[in-house]
């Protein structure tokens, strides 16, 4: 009899373990911090450089002079922001402006931290420079009269810099510049993404008043199938071989995933998607929506800046907490 009871007990335990092993696991989504930068427009006075964290604005300048923040990067708990104030480049770390000594510039446009080194892209006159911990490298070989430093990426030992110059997209890599367009059809160069040794460059093409969003992947052009010619692009991100593009379509904020448009502008007024970041399975966008800065997760608003009278974001950054 004891053998029968023991056998039944073992069978019950075995079935119990089997049920637990086969039970579906409920994945808990990791919380994130959602950053953005741009400019805040008070009721009166000058535009101030702004850093948002989870919808809450921190003003990096006091409004004495015109200022704007262009780029943000968060690394190991430190927040890096670059932009300009009063016609001079500014760099803030954790909200405190950093003394660059003799390393001055007209403005900084992008910041990235790689292996504890701070890289900043900017321009002095017409000379584009990439600083590595304060040491500048001249980005030479760019044709055209009015170069603009759009973006850069540091990946391993490779440095990529994207420049817009005289309606042409220039991709500089480790000292060698490649012009992606002939210039016969004007392009507006926007953004750069490098993933798994693939290089993506985002631009808008304007041909006889017809505007199209396009991107190059390793030098091969791809067009976004937009249903209207009233389109604008801002940023590009790539995740799991899916290409995401933020921008505007018919005065509404949208993002495109592999060419498929998704509306993220909520108000009845005009809106613009100024930043996009894909983390996990979620698409985060920051929009200027009828004068308010709104922070979206997929198609749901998660934060809004109700402090600033009017504000324009320029870029977003999302990290796990």
């Amino acid at each position: 009899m004891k053998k029968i009871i023991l056998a039944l007990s073992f069978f019950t335990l075995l079935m119990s373990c089997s049920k637990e092993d086969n039970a579906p696991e409920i994945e808990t989504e990791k919380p994130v911090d959602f950053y953005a930068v741009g400019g805040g427009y008070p009721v009166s006075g000058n535009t101030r450089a702004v850093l948002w964290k989870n919808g809450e604005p921190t003003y990096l300048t006091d409004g004495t002079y015109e200022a704007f923040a262009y780029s943000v990067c968060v690394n190991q708990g430190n927040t890096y922001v670059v932009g300009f104030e009063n016609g001079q480049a500014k760099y803030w770390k954790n909200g405190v402006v950093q003394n660059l000594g003799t390393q001055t510039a007209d403005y900084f446009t992008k910041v990235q931290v790689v292996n504890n080194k701070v890289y900043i892209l900017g321009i002095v006159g017409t000379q584009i420079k990439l600083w590595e911990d304060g040491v500048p490298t001249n980005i030479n070989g760019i044709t055209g009269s009015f170069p603009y430093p759009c973006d850069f990426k540091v990946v391993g030992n490779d440095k990529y810099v994207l420049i817009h110059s005289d309606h042409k997209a220039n991709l500089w890599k480790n000292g060698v510049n490649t012009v992606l367009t002939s210039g016969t059809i004007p392009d507006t160069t926007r953004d750069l993404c490098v993933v798994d040794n693939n290089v993506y460059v985002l631009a808008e093409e304007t041909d006889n008043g017809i505007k199209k969003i396009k991107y190059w992947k390793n030098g091969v052009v791809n067009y976004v199938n937009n249903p209207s010619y009233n389109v604008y692009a801002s940023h590009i991100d790539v995740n799991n071989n899916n290409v995401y593009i933020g921008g505007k379509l018919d005065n509404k904020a949208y993002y495109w995933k592999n060419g498929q448009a998704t509306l993220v502008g909520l108000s009845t007024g005009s809106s613009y998607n100024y930043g996009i970041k894909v983390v996990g399975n979620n698409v985060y966008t920051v929009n200027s929506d009828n004068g308010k800065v709104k922070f979206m997760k997929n198609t749901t608003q998660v934060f809004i800046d109700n402090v600033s009278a009017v504000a324009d974001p320029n870029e977003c950054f999302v990290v796990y907490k």
Side-chain angles (χ1 to χ4, degrees):
M1 186 66 180
K2 288 183 179 179
K3 291 182 178 180
I4 295 174
I5 294 173
L6 287 172
L8 287 172
S9 299
F10 179 77
F11 179 76
T12 302
L13 179 61
L14 183 64
M15 290 299 293
S16 175
C17 292
S18 177
K19 286 180 180 179
E20 289 179 2
D21 290 342
N22 293 329
E25 293 185 2
I26 300 175
E27 292 188 8
T28 302
E29 192 171 86
K30 294 181 181 179
V32 300
D33 283 322
F34 194 167
Y35 296 84
V37 288
Y41 304 88
V43 176
S44 61
N46 294 304
T47 307
R48 295 187 288 175
V50 184
L51 165 69
W52 289 274
K53 180 181 179 181
N54 299 330
E56 293 295 323
T58 296
Y59 299 100
L60 302 172
T61 56
D62 61 10
T64 302
Y65 305 105
E66 197 78 14
F68 200 90
Y70 286 119
S71 181
V72 56
C73 179
V74 180
N75 183 270
Q76 296 184 0
N78 295 306
T79 305
Y80 304 83
V81 177
V82 296
F84 82 94
E85 182 185 24
N86 193 28
Q88 185 170 345
K90 291 289 183 179
Y91 158 43
W92 297 267
K93 180 180 179 181
N94 299 326
V96 179
V97 68
Q98 302 297 295
N99 183 7
L100 300 177
T102 60
Q103 300 299 324
T104 60
D106 298 323
Y107 49 85
F108 296 138
T109 58
K110 290 288 179 178
V111 60
Q112 183 184 0
V113 180
V114 181
N115 295 328
N116 296 319
K117 293 183 177 180
V118 180
Y119 295 85
I120 298 176
L121 181 65
I123 190 167
V124 181
T126 59
Q127 178 64 64
I128 295 173
K129 295 175 180 283
L130 179 63
W131 283 263
E132 177 183 331
D133 282 342
V135 179
T137 295
N138 288 341
I139 308 302
N140 295 323
I142 311 302
T143 60
S145 304
F146 304 100
Y148 179 81
C150 298
D151 198 3
F152 79 96
K153 293 291 184 292
V154 177
V155 181
N157 295 321
D158 294 322
K159 297 180 177 66
Y160 303 83
V161 181
L162 182 64
I163 302 103
H164 175 78
S165 181
D166 293 355
H167 303 296
K168 298 177 182 179
N170 293 260
L171 180 61
W172 182 97
K173 178 184 177 183
N174 300 334
V176 178
N177 183 57
T178 300
V179 180
L180 298 176
T181 50
S182 64
T184 55
I185 299 177
D187 282 324
T188 303
T189 316
R190 293 298 189 189
D191 199 29
L192 170 68
C193 184
V194 182
V195 178
D196 297 331
N197 296 318
N198 294 308
V199 182
Y200 302 81
V201 172
L202 177 66
E204 298 160 10
E205 175 186 286
T206 305
D207 187 10
N208 293 322
I210 298 174
K211 183 175 284 188
K212 297 179 181 179
I213 295 176
K214 67 181 182 182
Y215 67 92
W216 291 268
K217 179 182 178 181
N218 301 327
V220 178
V221 69
N222 299 268
Y223 286 89
V224 173
N225 184 24
N226 49 273
S228 170
Y229 296 126
N230 183 17
V231 293
Y232 298 87
S234 60
H235 291 83
I236 186 169
D237 199 8
V238 178
N239 184 278
N240 290 328
N241 295 317
N242 295 306
V243 179
Y244 298 82
I245 295 171
K248 182 170 76 168
L249 171 64
D250 287 336
N251 297 316
K252 293 291 183 182
Y254 275 81
Y255 75 81
W256 288 261
K257 178 184 177 181
N258 300 329
Q260 182 67 39
T262 297
L263 174 67
V264 286
L266 299 181
S267 73
T268 56
S270 61
S271 55
Y272 196 121
N273 176 355
Y274 280 102
I276 185 168
K277 191 72 175 177
V278 183
V279 177
N281 296 317
N282 297 307
V283 182
Y284 296 86
T285 56
V286 59
N287 308 320
S288 175
D289 199 334
N290 208 28
K292 290 293 184 180
V293 177
K294 297 182 179 181
F295 301 80
M296 307 289 294
K297 177 183 177 182
N298 302 316
T299 57
T300 301
Q301 178 182 304
V302 290
F303 304 111
I304 182 174
D305 176 10
N306 279 319
V307 177
S308 305
V310 179
D312 275 333
N314 192 69
E315 184 180 81
C316 67
F317 197 93
V318 180
V319 293
Y320 289 119
K321 291 186 178 182

